[in-house]
Structures are given as C-alpha cells and as structure tokens.
Amino acid sequence: MRIGITPLEMLTTDADKAKWANEGLPTDPLSIENGAIMTNASRWGLIIDPQLQGIRWIINREEPQGLVIIQQSQHKYIDKVVYCIENGLPLLLENLPVDIDAVLDTVIGKQTIKKGRNVIMRIGDTEVEYDSRFRLYLQTKLANPHFQPEIAAQTTMVNFCVTEKGLEDQLLALVVAHERSDLQEQAAELVRALNEYSLTLMDLENSLLFRLANSQGDILEDIELIENLEETKRTALEIEEKVKLAKVTEVNIAKAREVYRPVATRASLVYFLIDNLNALDRVYHYSMANFVFVLGKGMDVTPGGADESHVPENERLGMQVDMEKRLELLVEITCFQVFSYVAQGLFERHKLIVATQLCLAILRGKGELNFQKFDYLLRGPKVMGVDNSLGDWISDSVWGSVQALRELDEYANLPDDLVGSSKRWREWIELERPEDEPLPGDWKRMPEFDRLLLFRALRPDRLTSAMNKFVTGLIGGKYVSSQPFDLQRSYADSAPGVPIFIFLSPGVDVAASVESLGRKLGFTSDTGKYASVSLGQGQEPIAMNNLNNAHKNGGWVLLQNIHLTIDWTSGPLEKKVDKLSEGAHADFRLFLSAEPPPALEKGLPISLLQNSIKLTNEPPEGLKANLRRAYNLYSEEILETCAKQAEFRIIIFALCYFHAALLERKKFGVGNIPGSTSGIGWNMNYPFNAGDLLCCGQTANNYLENNVKVPWDDLRYIFGEIMYGGHIVEDWDRRLCSAYLNRYMVEALIEGMEMFPGFMSPPNSLSHKQVLEYLDEQMPPETPLAFGLHPNAEIGFRLREAESFCNALVQLQPRESGGEGGMSVEEKAKMVLDDLVERLPEQFDMEDIRGRVDEFTPYVMVAIQESERMNTLLAEMKRSLAELDLGLKGDLTMTEPMERLMTSLATDAVPGSWRNLAYPSLRPLGSWLQNLLARSTQLVEWTADLGVPKVVWLSGLFNPQSFLTAVMQTTARRNDWPLDKTVVMTEVTKKLPDQIDAPSRDGAFIHGLTLEGCRWDDKVGVLDDSKPKELFCAMPVILVRAVTVDKAEMKDAYMTPVYTTEARFREEVFTAQLKSKHTWIKWTLAGVCLFLDVV
C-alpha cells in the first residue's frame, strides 16, 4: 500500500459513497466504513442495528432486486429462505435473537457442495440448488449481543450503532429543516447535485474505458470515440466548475447551519442518555423514531419563532427573538420536552437519577466535569485504618471517607480543618438538613458540584437531597418535580402505529383510566369502539381477534397483564406491533398494561417497548397517603352497616392504619428484592392489597354482630394468620405482622390510644368525612416511630438510598471513559486483577491436614469442611483471573463470563461466579477481599493444631450452622442426649475476644456478631434503645452452649434472629436469646436482629 492511502480508499470510491447516500446511508465516517465493509466482505454481514439505520439502507438498496424480509419467529420461514437461494434473491433476516436456529448454519456459513455442474446447499434434510446471485443480510436490534463464537467466525459483524457525533450531524439537519427549511433544502439539493456529479463522472469514465477497450484498428480514425472523448472532456470540465461553485456554496451553507449546532449537540447528548437507561431497568427502551418525533414536537412548541401556532397560548411571545435567545430557548425546551416524555415512563425511584445523569452529561459536554472528583462521588472510596481523633462524633466509616477525599487537591486540608474547627463542623454535620445551610468557614465558597463530595463523605444520608438541590440549580426545578399521570396528554402523542404501554403498580386501576378517557372521546364498548381483554390462559385468540378488528375498522383495544402470557407477547403480539402502522384505521389505538417482569424471568420484548409510549402510575408514597387511600375503600354507608357503631368504626380505622403501615414499612428495606441491602422492613415482599383489607373489615363486622364483647383474640388470629398471614411465608415476618396486631387490636383502642408518639386514634364517633379531616389536621409528619422502628432507621434508609443512587449512576456511565482523564474499564480491571493475584493466599493442603488428625471430632470436621470450601473458592478465583488476564492480553477470545468478571473488577463488585462459591456478603470487592484474607487467617490458625479455638469468629465461617451443630453434637455425646432434643442457648459475656484465655468447657465462645435496631447495655446486660445515629452495636463475646429442650430458659429474653448479612432473606443462622426488660412487641416492630457481617 502506498503511503497516505487508507483502507477505505481502496475499498470504495466517491461514486460509491454518493450512491450509498442516495440510498439512505448516513454520511458520517463510521457509516461510510460500515458500507464499505458490507459491500466488500466475502462473508455475509451481521449488522448490530438498534437504531434501524443499517436496515433502512439495506431495504432501499436491495428492494429493486426483489428483497425478501423475514424473521426467525415467522411460521415456515425456512420456505422463504429456500425460495431466495434457488432464485438468487436478496434475503434480509431481521430482528435476530441471540440463539440462531441451527438449521441456518449452512446458509450463514456458505456451506455448498458441487454436484456435476450444479452448486448445492443442504438445508436440514433438503438439498437446494444454490444461485450465485443470492445475498443474505442478518440484522439484530440488540445493542450488545453475545452470539455463539461460530456465528462471529462465519459472518462479518458490523456495528451500525449510531455515534454521538454521527447522530449530532443527522439531528443538525432536522433542526435546520425546522428553523431554516430553505437552508436545509439548499444543503440537501447540493448534496444530491454533488452525488450526481460523482456518478456522472464515473459513468463517463466507464463509458470511455469501455470504448477504448473495444476499439478496433487505429484509435485516431475512430471518429465516434474521439467525439465521445471530446464530450467527456467538456462535461468533466463543466462538472469541475460546478463542483468548485458547489464547494463554495457548501462552505457558506455549512457556516449558516453551524449556528444551530448547540441544539443538535444537546439533543444527541440526551438521546445517548435515554438509550442507556435500560441499565437501570430492562423496560426502559426507546426507539430513534419516537425520539425524533418528540424532538420535533419540542421545536414546534418553542416560542419566539416564525410560527407559534403550536406553542401554548400562555407561553407565546408574539414576535421573533434574536438568534442567541432563540437557540437558548430551543436547547432548553427541546431538552425538557424529551426528558418529560421519558420521565412519564420512569419509576419514581429513577427520576432523580436520570435528571442527575443529564446534569453530569451537560457538564461533561462543556468540559467542566473533573474526572477524579466525579469518580469519588460515584464510588465513595474509604481509606480505613487511619487514627480517628474525632471518634466521639465522627464514625470510623466517615473518617475513612474523609481520608480518601483528602487525596484530591482541593480537600487536602479537610481532616485538619475538621479537627481545628471541630465545633463549627460538628454543628453543621449534626444539622437535620445541612444541604440548606452554608458550609463552615471558607468551604462555603465551594462550587455546587464540589459541595456534593463533602456530602458523600460527611453526610451520605443527605446526598440525594443535596443532589436534588444541585440539579435544580443547574437545569431547573421542573426536572426533579414529579409529573402527575396524564393519559390524555400521552394520547395526544400516540398514533395508530404507536401503542401506549402502562406499567402496573399495586392499587392502580389502568382499565378505569382508559375507559374514562374513552368515554370523553367517544370510544366506548356500547358503541363497539372499545374492547378490553385481561390476558391469561386461553385469552390470546380473543385478544388477537379484538386487535385485528379494531386495527381494520377503528377503535381502542386494551390488553391487560400481557406479562402473564410472555410467550404470546414475545411472538404473535410483538410481530403485530412491529407492523402496526401498516393499514391501520386512523381511529385505532392500542393500550397495553403489564408488570415489569422480575430479573430472573423472561423480559418483555424490546421492540414492543421501543415502539410504545411508556407510562407509570405509581400510588402516592407515605403513611398518610396510604392511610387515606385505605380508609377511602370504606364509605359512610359501609361503616353504618354494623350495629356496634363505635367499635366497628375504630376497628376499621386501626385496620387501615395496620394495612398502611405494612405497605409503607417496605421502604425501609425488603430482603428478597434483587439488589437489596437491608431487610429491616420485611424479609420478603408480599402483595398485600385492598382485597385483604376489605375482607378483614367484613370479618370484623360479622364477629361484632355475633358477639357481645369484641373477640380480640379471634380477630387478631383471622387478620394475622389467615387474611394477611395467607400471603406471609416467612416465620419472622409472620411474627412482625402479629406484633402490629397485638399493638393495635386491643381493648384500649375503643376509648382511644396513641397509634404512634404524637398521634392519637380519632374519636370513635366521627363520620367518614370527619376522620379524613382529622387525619389532615392531626397526623404529624411521618417518622420511623410510626412503624415501631427507631429513628435511626431513617438514617439507614437514606444511606442505602444514597448508595443505590450512586450505584445506579455507575451503571449509566459510558464504558469508554479512558479519554477523560480516567482509565478505561479494561485498564481498571487489569490493575485490580494484578493486585488480586498478588494478594490471594495459598490453598490448603488437605492431605497434610487430614494426616495430622488424631480423632475426627465435630470441631475438626468443621475445620476440614471450611478449608475445602476455601480451596474451591480460591481455585475458581485463580482460574478465572488467569483466563481474564489472557483475554485482556488478546491471547483468548473474550467470552460473556470474562466480560462480566472484567466489569465487576472495574466497578469494585464481587463477581457472580465467586459469589456463588463463597458466603453471603454485601461488601464491595476491596472490602470483600480483606474479609476473605481474614477468614483464611482464622482457618490457617485453626488447622495448625486442629484444637478447639479459644474463641471462634463465627462470621468468618462459610457455614456457621455447622459450628453450632458441632457444639450440640459435642455436648450431646458427652451427656448422652438425643441430638434432636438438644437446642442452642446463648449467654452474652462482658468480655472482648482478646480477654478469653481458654476454650469454654460448657460450649464455645463466639464473636463477630452485630446488633441492629437497638443496642446492648453492657452494664445491665439487657437490650436497650439505640443511641442517636448509632445504627449498629457490636456485641461482646457470646457463650453458645447446648441444653435439652425442656431446660431452655426463655424467660425475660427476646428471641433474636441471627442473619448472615443485612439483607436477611433466607440467611438465618440460628436464634439467640438476649435479655430484655421490654416486651417482644417493641423489639419485633423495631426489626431487632443480629448479623454476622455488617459492611
């Protein structure tokens, strides 16, 4: 290759590029390169095309040749494949899933055989005559597909995912077409002219070469050839002059168009933000077509232009503004228009995250985002082990964050200032809402973004509130205020080919909303213009008939619960929606509703989600809102049906409070929700609903009518064990439900009792309307005390919210961050990998350990089993790290498991393959490794002499239950007790681990347990209320001993569940008995338990 020539110049010409542009291929460099690869590759092209730009070009290019378009999910699609191969027609296999049908292997691999003069291809059991004109195109909408390695080897994979710069240029054309249509028409005409010039020159050259090649005799005597040569020369000179003029005009037009680039830049930035939202939840998928439509609508409603007919009347300016102001308005309004379109389909918990990501993207685009500060904000690193001189009011965890923050230049003197100005800092840190107050000293002059890092370090529980204020200051309060559910507004954006998709939430009636809008607009079931089908077994044909009928004749169709028939939804319904706009009646509209499927279940089809306008309608949050909604289920007429009016009214109120408390308690943490880091609210998520509450009310009515006195025991049992208890499958959750009923369903309720500090139950004589007024006037702001929890539970909730918030932001960051002053994912992973390989301990020599055993006692067996488990984990860690190292060097092909491991290492997360072989843990990778090394050290010491350790770090065992069983086995053998009649009892000592001189003769000493929900009073030796801001309390050494069931002393003891981690769900180890002066109800409502491991 000659110096200066690029591969692209060898693969294509200006004429080719011009032709592709006329066929609809975008003209950005990446698209041109993709076009060159597609037209020159010897293997079939497999295009990754989530924005459908590649498929549009292929259809325009191949349609004149008789292109056939099929999907793998079509019935008898293979017949069309055979037809195309035999007749030499181009074939497009669109929307490919990751698992490609094996019958297509020979077609994709171009596996042909020659029989005589014929070329044959075998498809299944059929031999097909292969026409050399046949062309195959494969297309997938998946942005990051993981096809089988043989597919990657047999095809040419081409990435048509649009780039930010490429999209910016395309959107610039849209903006200019809207604002200066004359300019865009000129530009388009110019491009067409230049393309035609290129094609004409190519045709002339080809014609001339053809004549020269076929000329007979003396060329100088060929008059026709000479005339053609003259004509070609004259035309070429004319075109050259025209091209020169066109180039000058092109520069002038480009200058004029460039003025509008800020609008296109912001639009491109917003598109890439929303295109990545499926990292938050896999239902967040948006199509380019919908984005362009909403962007156009945003430009239409921007005031200050030549045409204000689409602008709301109260926002019209009545005149054209200058260019600078116009651009400012366009950027602001188009950005918010697209954001609000997306936000109407976001769950409440994600709205601030998306608004924050938009702010960060804007700052990054302006070059105002410092990568090191941003990285600290996202990851919140800690440097532990530094002496904390402010331990009385700053926790070690916060001090670790401060030490990490001091590594940034602007914060180098933060630790010294905290010590030197401790009075002012302490006042600020202990404020209830520090985000509303200035920082101490010179720190108050810090820029808003830099303030966020101080919240991340010193008050992480207030980070989301500070972030809310930051977003408001940067782009406006409208980005963080929730929009009410408005089906009519969304209907205005819909079309016959654009369905409206509503995500279901508990207590929200989608059908009622759609029917109400239908009545307003004249689409009702009475007129035959409205049909609703609730999907379930056998409903699919009915749904499809209604859909086809309305599609043809006009009308609305509501398909509810489409997640229940996921195979039908992913098959016939998805195909129908893909072609919905074809032949649809103008009055046709499709409404869909579904619950977002859980992470482990099959997801909703991506194309269905992309094509739809998505809406969420979540019930209001808060105890008061839930209580009002619950009480509104009972009307005054229902309350008057019972003869015992006073008792019935107050029991119904208490039931509604109980129902609201059960629902709202979930916000403090539900253990079995994916990604949960706390189960202080509930161990499991239960679908408590209005039906449970209404049934309880009816039961209360019946029992009051048939009994002289209120049968409290009966009511508590029916409510707690049958109505609500019917949902509950976890024993400790059942005890929690029972504790609420024992707290509220008591005789004192009739005369009036305190529901929580500061809120008395309403008098039992009030009417329904008066009770609602009483709630509005008398109910104080909600605190954790309203649920029986300690006020510290609010801090824990806020801390988890902030951690979850930052983790979500990490998920939204683009992978290629190497060019912004930080390392790429691969570089980070490699750095962590090298560090891990150095620090991993050696595996245990099991033969040596077994060879030194004199007697296989229960304790020795525990040590051996733990060592074996440690070996299994270490072996997998070393194997996977070595494999990834080869992959990063390029010696191995990167597989999906290797990519997952790389991402985990780069984001300080424990890889799933390690977690499956390890022990339950919520720690990030760095802390997890330190914990692993400490566990290994304990095992090294234990297996050195194989005796009973003086005190066992119970948290450091893979299977702590096995050690407790060993305690019972040892005691049972010594005393000749039956093992199934033996139980474990706990006794809290006043000693620390280093104060234990010898193993217990009566059981075993354990340590490492931590209390949540209350604290342990060392002096008195009982449970007591937690100190403010002290979320956890480390326990002293505990003696675990075994006794027979009949001698198990339970008096004045709270039965405390012991869990492995804060998530609680399915992590119970055993039940400890902790002395208490309070009833079991108080500690149960407070969510008191012990943990083996706290992050």
Side-chain angles (χ1 to χ4, degrees):
M1 252 169 69
R2 211 169 63 236
I3 294 171
I5 286 193
T6 63
L8 187 63
E9 288 171 342
M10 295 183 67
L11 294 173
T12 185
T13 64
D14 288 343
D16 290 330
K17 294 176 191 174
K19 188 181 177 195
W20 298 340
N22 288 344
E23 289 165 351
L25 183 71
T27 53
D28 60 282
L30 181 71
S31 298
I32 298 292
E33 287 167 11
N34 288 342
I37 294 168
M38 288 288 292
T39 52
N40 286 281
S42 59
R43 293 174 292 183
W44 303 132
L46 169 51
I47 64 172
I48 298 162
D49 188 30
Q51 288 89 24
L52 309 181
Q53 297 200 335
I55 197 173
R56 202 175 300 126
W57 170 57
I58 288 166
I59 290 171
N60 291 340
R61 178 182 173 81
E62 295 288 5
E63 245 178 355
Q65 281 74 46
L67 176 70
V68 175
I69 303 172
I70 59 170
Q71 290 190 12
Q72 190 176 290
S73 56
Q74 274 177 232
H75 183 58
K76 291 187 175 180
Y77 78 94
I78 208 72
D79 293 348
K80 292 191 176 180
V81 176
V82 170
Y83 174 77
C84 289
I85 292 171
E86 289 177 333
N87 293 280
L89 295 174
L91 173 67
L92 171 60
L93 192 53
E94 66 172 355
N95 202 9
L96 269 182
V98 172
D99 299 316
I100 298 177
D101 199 335
V103 78
L104 293 170
D105 283 352
T106 53
V107 185
I108 293 171
K110 286 191 175 180
Q111 295 170 18
T112 57
I113 49 176
K114 203 156 187 182
K115 282 193 176 180
R117 293 184 178 179
N118 296 332
V119 178
I120 301 296
M121 180 176 279
R122 182 179 285 276
I123 300 177
D125 297 330
T126 311
E127 288 190 347
V128 180
E129 195 169 321
Y130 183 82
D131 190 315
S132 60
R133 293 172 300 168
F134 170 71
R135 291 183 300 285
L136 175 66
Y137 299 95
L138 306 164
Q139 181 257 1
T140 179
K141 290 181 182 178
L142 302 172
N144 188 25
H146 284 278
F147 291 107
Q148 295 294 326
E150 53 269 26
I151 297 296
Q154 291 171 340
T155 61
T156 300
M157 295 184 82
V158 184
N159 188 358
F160 266 90
C161 292
V162 68
T163 61
E164 201 159 334
K165 187 74 179 76
L167 180 61
E168 191 180 303
D169 290 338
Q170 292 176 38
L171 295 177
L172 179 62
L174 284 175
V175 177
V176 175
H178 184 275
E179 293 296 298
R180 289 279 308 275
S181 54
D182 58 321
L183 207 58
Q184 187 57 29
E185 280 168 20
Q186 268 183 283
E189 187 55 46
L190 195 62
V191 169
R192 274 196 297 275
L194 285 169
N195 289 343
E196 281 169 18
Y197 296 157
S198 298
L199 291 170
T200 304
L201 279 173
M202 179 61 75
D203 290 343
L204 290 170
E205 284 175 21
N206 290 341
S207 171
L208 188 59
L209 288 169
F210 178 78
R211 287 180 180 280
L212 284 169
N214 292 287
S215 176
Q216 302 292 325
D218 188 356
I219 292 175
L220 296 174
E221 292 178 4
D222 190 338
I223 306 300
E224 193 177 343
L225 175 62
I226 292 169
E227 285 176 352
N228 184 267
L229 185 61
E230 288 294 326
E231 177 67 21
T232 301
K233 186 180 177 183
R234 188 177 55 77
T235 309
L237 288 170
E238 279 179 20
I239 287 176
E240 194 178 335
E241 287 301 313
K242 287 179 180 176
V243 167
K244 280 181 185 173
L245 284 169
K247 292 288 183 187
V248 173
T249 313
E250 187 179 30
V251 170
N252 294 334
I253 291 174
K255 271 185 188 173
R257 292 171 82 242
E258 204 61 27
V259 175
Y260 295 97
R261 187 163 291 278
V263 185
T265 304
R266 174 64 66 85
S268 177
L269 178 151
V270 174
Y271 175 77
F272 276 91
L273 165 65
I274 66 174
D275 190 47
N276 200 27
L277 289 184
N278 54 71
L280 292 180
D281 195 303
R282 56 187 179 154
V283 299
Y284 297 154
H285 287 278
Y286 301 87
S287 72
M288 176 71 82
N290 281 1
F291 169 78
V292 168
F293 169 78
V294 178
L295 182 69
K297 183 182 172 186
M299 290 189 283
D300 287 341
V301 299
T302 303
D307 178 12
E308 289 192 327
S309 57
H310 296 286
V311 181
E313 281 191 29
N314 59 328
E315 294 176 18
R316 291 178 186 173
L317 300 178
M319 61 174 187
Q320 280 188 260
V321 293
D322 61 67
M323 181 57 74
E324 190 178 338
K325 181 65 177 172
R326 177 66 178 163
L327 290 173
E328 188 184 311
L329 287 169
L330 278 169
V331 169
E332 185 183 323
I333 290 173
T334 54
C335 180
F336 183 67
Q337 195 73 28
V338 175
F339 179 86
S340 54
Y341 170 79
V342 171
Q344 67 186 356
L346 294 177
F347 298 111
E348 204 62 42
R349 64 184 181 275
H350 292 144
K351 288 179 180 175
L352 179 59
I353 294 168
V354 177
T356 302
Q357 179 64 6
L358 175 61
C359 282
L360 297 171
I362 290 169
L363 289 176
R364 188 188 286 117
K366 291 178 180 176
E368 295 175 8
L369 191 64
N370 178 293
F371 179 81
Q372 290 179 311
K373 292 178 183 177
F374 180 47
D375 193 59
Y376 180 90
L377 180 68
L378 290 184
R379 305 184 195 286
K382 293 179 172 63
V383 175
M384 305 306 288
V386 181
D387 185 43
N388 180 8
S389 57
L390 304 172
D392 55 330
W393 59 279
I394 286 184
S395 69
D396 288 344
S397 174
V398 168
W399 190 248
S401 298
V402 170
Q403 295 302 323
L405 185 55
R406 78 180 301 175
E407 293 174 13
L408 300 179
D409 292 342
E410 291 91 328
Y411 305 88
N413 63 344
L414 178 60
D416 296 336
D417 200 53
L418 281 168
V419 175
S421 307
S422 60
K423 185 172 182 290
R424 283 190 294 175
W425 274 109
R426 185 170 185 171
E427 285 173 3
W428 183 83
I429 285 174
E430 291 180 351
L431 287 168
E432 189 177 342
R433 298 179 62 85
E435 67 273 13
D436 294 335
E437 302 296 329
L439 287 159
D442 292 339
W443 299 89
K444 65 168 70 76
R445 299 192 188 93
M446 285 201 109
E448 280 298 313
F449 181 78
D450 292 5
R451 276 171 56 96
L452 294 175
L453 274 66
L454 290 171
F455 279 94
R456 183 73 162 119
L458 298 169
R459 283 296 301 270
D461 57 307
R462 301 304 301 173
L463 179 63
T464 49
S465 301
M467 195 64 83
N468 193 309
K469 195 172 180 188
F470 167 71
V471 173
T472 301
L474 189 67
I475 54 177
K478 59 187 177 183
Y479 284 88
V480 291
S481 56
S482 291
Q483 305 174 37
F485 176 76
D486 188 347
L487 189 59
Q488 189 159 2
R489 179 189 63 207
S490 302
Y491 175 77
D493 290 338
S494 70
V498 182
I500 293 178
F501 198 127
I502 305 167
F503 295 117
L504 295 172
S505 297
V508 173
D509 188 354
V510 170
S513 304
V514 177
E515 285 168 14
S516 171
L517 181 62
R519 278 194 298 274
K520 200 183 290 183
L521 301 177
F523 293 89
T524 62
S525 49
D526 296 339
T527 60
K529 290 288 185 182
Y530 175 79
S532 173
V533 182
S534 188
L535 269 298
Q537 195 170 11
Q539 294 299 303
E540 297 94 325
I542 300 168
M544 190 54 81
N545 287 340
N546 279 310
L547 182 53
N548 288 332
N549 181 47
H551 187 259
K552 181 181 176 183
N553 304 315
W556 288 9
V557 176
L558 168 62
L559 303 183
Q560 299 187 71
N561 303 315
I562 61 171
H563 61 286
L564 298 178
T565 52
I566 196 72
D567 290 333
W568 179 80
T569 301
S570 303
L573 182 61
E574 183 185 12
K575 274 191 284 183
K576 181 72 179 175
V577 171
D578 279 347
K579 312 290 182 188
L580 207 57
S581 56
E582 295 175 12
H585 192 282
D587 288 338
F588 167 70
R589 290 294 185 278
L590 174 61
F591 297 84
L592 305 167
S593 78
E595 289 178 13
L600 297 177
E601 292 183 12
K602 187 176 178 182
L604 293 164
I606 290 175
S607 62
L608 191 71
L609 293 165
Q610 283 181 331
N611 293 334
S612 306
I613 295 170
K614 288 172 283 299
L615 301 175
T616 54
N617 185 13
E618 294 177 276
E621 292 183 348
L623 185 64
K624 183 188 279 191
N626 271 295
L627 179 52
R628 281 187 66 95
R629 194 164 72 249
Y631 197 69
N632 274 323
L633 294 172
Y634 292 94
S635 62
E636 184 64 26
E637 291 73 31
I638 294 173
L639 295 174
E640 288 173 353
T641 56
C642 183
K644 294 189 174 71
Q645 279 284 294
E647 291 89 340
F648 185 56
R649 285 177 183 274
I650 199 63
I651 286 173
I652 291 298
F653 178 82
L655 264 174
C656 292
Y657 188 90
F658 163 71
H659 177 81
L662 295 194
L663 289 178
E664 197 58 22
R665 187 183 172 101
K666 292 179 183 180
K667 81 171 187 180
F668 292 99
V670 177
N672 73 327
I673 290 177
S676 173
T677 56
S678 175
I680 194 171
W682 293 93
N683 283 6
M684 288 181 68
N685 195 17
Y686 301 109
F688 303 126
N689 56 55
D692 302 324
L693 179 59
L694 291 168
C695 288
C696 287
Q698 186 59 50
T699 304
N701 192 347
N702 295 342
Y703 269 74
L704 287 173
E705 293 285 359
N706 296 319
N707 290 275
V708 178
K709 287 187 173 181
V710 179
W712 295 111
D713 289 340
D714 294 355
L715 290 178
R716 282 194 294 264
Y717 183 84
I718 290 168
F719 299 163
E721 298 294 330
I722 299 171
M723 300 302 186
Y724 283 87
H727 294 293
I728 300 173
V729 297
E730 218 270 358
D731 289 341
W732 297 111
D733 285 343
R734 190 176 294 276
R735 183 175 76 161
L736 174 61
C737 180
S738 176
Y740 273 117
L741 289 166
N742 277 280
R743 168 80 175 77
Y744 299 123
M745 292 294 158
V746 291
E747 191 64 39
L749 178 68
I750 306 297
E751 299 304 319
M753 63 181 279
E754 197 172 51
M755 306 302 285
F756 67 88
F759 180 55
M760 293 294 294
S761 59
N764 56 28
S765 58
L766 297 185
S767 67
H768 185 274
K769 185 183 176 186
Q770 288 170 326
V771 168
L772 293 176
E773 289 170 357
Y774 178 86
L775 285 179
D776 290 337
E777 293 167 11
Q778 300 295 326
M779 191 168 178
E782 177 187 320
T783 71
L785 293 169
F787 306 94
L789 292 159
H790 190 276
N792 285 349
E794 182 75 19
I795 298 173
F797 163 64
R798 296 282 177 199
L799 285 171
R800 287 187 292 275
E801 185 182 52
E803 205 57 45
S804 169
F805 181 89
C806 291
N807 288 340
L809 282 177
V810 169
Q811 296 296 317
L812 288 177
Q813 298 319 303
R815 278 186 54 180
E816 298 79 14
S817 57
E820 299 174 4
M823 293 187 291
S824 68
V825 172
E826 289 80 3
E827 289 166 339
K828 284 181 187 171
K830 175 63 176 163
M831 186 178 75
V832 175
L833 185 150
D834 292 341
D835 179 55
L836 284 172
V837 170
E838 277 182 28
R839 295 173 64 190
L840 281 182
E842 291 298 316
Q843 289 173 239
F844 291 92
D845 186 341
M846 298 311 299
E847 284 187 22
D848 173 62
I849 292 171
R850 285 195 178 92
R852 291 189 282 107
V853 175
D854 296 325
E855 181 190 354
F856 283 94
T857 65
Y859 292 123
V860 169
M861 289 306 300
V862 171
I864 289 173
Q865 288 168 1
E866 289 291 317
S867 301
E868 287 173 341
R869 290 192 176 205
M870 181 64 78
N871 276 357
T872 305
L873 174 59
L874 290 173
E876 168 58 21
M877 289 175 71
K878 289 175 180 178
R879 183 205 65 77
S880 57
L881 288 171
E883 183 183 61
L884 178 61
D885 197 26
L886 290 171
L888 291 172
K889 287 175 183 172
D891 295 340
L892 275 181
T893 303
M894 288 290 283
T895 61
E896 193 169 354
M898 288 162 72
E899 279 199 11
R900 286 199 296 266
L901 175 61
M902 179 181 70
T903 304
S904 296
L905 296 183
T907 56
D908 197 28
V910 180
S913 59
W914 300 359
R915 205 167 47 238
N916 293 339
L917 294 173
Y919 34 83
S921 177
L922 299 174
R923 293 173 180 268
L925 181 58
S927 173
W928 184 85
L929 181 66
Q930 287 180 334
N931 185 259
L932 175 74
L933 297 175
R935 288 167 183 263
S936 177
T937 303
Q938 173 171 259
L939 283 177
V940 168
E941 292 170 358
W942 193 352
T943 53
D945 61 3
L946 292 167
V948 181
K950 288 187 288 187
V951 56
V952 171
W953 177 38
L954 193 66
S955 315
L957 302 181
F958 281 79
N959 183 9
Q961 289 96 328
S962 66
F963 182 78
L964 299 169
T965 304
V967 172
M968 290 197 295
Q969 283 176 328
T970 305
T971 309
R973 287 178 187 177
R974 188 169 60 232
N975 296 306
D976 203 20
W977 296 340
L979 189 61
D980 60 342
K981 301 290 184 187
T982 309
V983 293
V984 166
M985 294 292 291
T986 55
E987 187 181 309
V988 183
T989 70
K990 293 189 177 182
K991 294 182 178 180
L992 296 174
D994 54 6
Q995 295 171 330
I996 303 295
D997 300 323
S1000 170
R1001 296 177 184 176
D1002 194 25
F1005 290 117
I1006 60 170
H1007 75 102
L1009 277 68
T1010 307
L1011 197 57
E1012 183 184 38
C1014 65
R1015 69 183 179 91
W1016 181 255
D1017 188 330
D1018 279 332
K1019 292 177 182 173
V1020 187
V1022 294
L1023 295 174
D1024 200 0
D1025 286 322
S1026 298
K1027 292 177 180 175
K1029 298 188 179 177
E1030 190 179 276
L1031 273 62
F1032 301 103
C1033 170
M1035 293 293 286
V1037 171
I1038 296 174
L1039 172 63
V1040 176
R1041 55 192 180 87
V1043 298
T1044 52
V1045 175
D1046 57 322
K1047 291 184 180 175
E1049 178 61 54
M1050 305 295 178
K1051 191 181 177 188
D1052 296 331
Y1054 172 64
M1055 305 303 290
T1056 315
V1058 181
Y1059 299 103
T1060 314
T1061 73
E1062 296 160 65
R1064 305 190 184 202
F1065 175 62
R1066 289 186 181 164
E1067 291 181 0
E1068 189 186 351
V1069 181
F1070 71 109
T1071 304
Q1073 300 79 31
L1074 300 181
K1075 294 286 183 185
S1076 169
K1077 292 181 180 178
H1078 296 282
T1079 66
W1080 65 276
I1081 296 173
K1082 174 183 173 72
W1083 301 128
T1084 302
L1085 294 181
V1088 171
C1089 71
L1090 285 163
F1091 297 128
L1092 295 187
D1093 188 34
V1094 170
V1095 179

